[in-house]
Amino acid sequence: MPHPKHNELIKFFNEKFDRIEKTNKGRRSNSFTKKDTNTINNAVQLLVAFFNLSGGSAGEFDFYELLQQYMMDKNKRKEIHKILNINR
């Protein structure tokens, strides 16, 4: 039986993606740089819940900083891609 948190997360994603799909029909945006810090931090909280982590910045992990830099700074995103051998 799934954990109640997972059920909440699935429900949230279903609602969120349903709204996004309805508002973005036929449109596609490649720009993540317009996301604000609060939106990115909310995504980190979902990631934390999904992976059942103790927090978004614990030990040597700082998903808040990582996603903020990745989504808001084109140069940092290129550096991360280089490390991961992603050609874009």
Side-chain angles (χ1 to χ4, degrees):
M1 179 181 235
H3 190 280
K5 262 187 170 181
H6 290 160
N7 288 334
E8 289 176 32
L9 187 61
I10 290 167
K11 182 180 174 186
F12 172 82
F13 277 130
N14 284 336
E15 291 172 358
K16 185 80 168 170
F17 287 122
D18 187 46
R19 273 185 297 201
I20 290 170
E21 190 174 294
K22 286 178 184 171
T23 57
N24 288 337
K25 262 198 165 115
R27 288 187 289 158
R28 184 173 175 196
S29 172
N30 291 325
S31 175
F32 289 107
T33 57
K34 294 179 183 173
K35 302 291 183 212
D36 64 48
T37 303
N38 289 331
T39 302
I40 296 168
N41 290 347
N42 288 339
V44 170
Q45 291 172 9
L46 291 172
L47 180 74
V48 166
F50 184 80
F51 286 115
N52 199 27
L53 302 172
S54 61
S57 59
E60 51 185 49
F61 293 102
D62 189 342
F63 290 114
Y64 294 104
E65 186 66 26
L66 176 66
L67 284 181
Q68 287 171 19
Q69 293 296 321
Y70 183 81
M71 297 184 89
M72 299 175 83
D73 186 325
K74 186 177 182 178
N75 292 325
K76 295 288 184 181
R77 188 167 41 257
K78 285 181 179 181
E79 288 179 38
I80 293 168
H81 285 185
K82 189 185 287 187
I83 291 167
L84 299 173
N85 290 321
I86 297 173
N87 296 319
R88 291 197 181 152

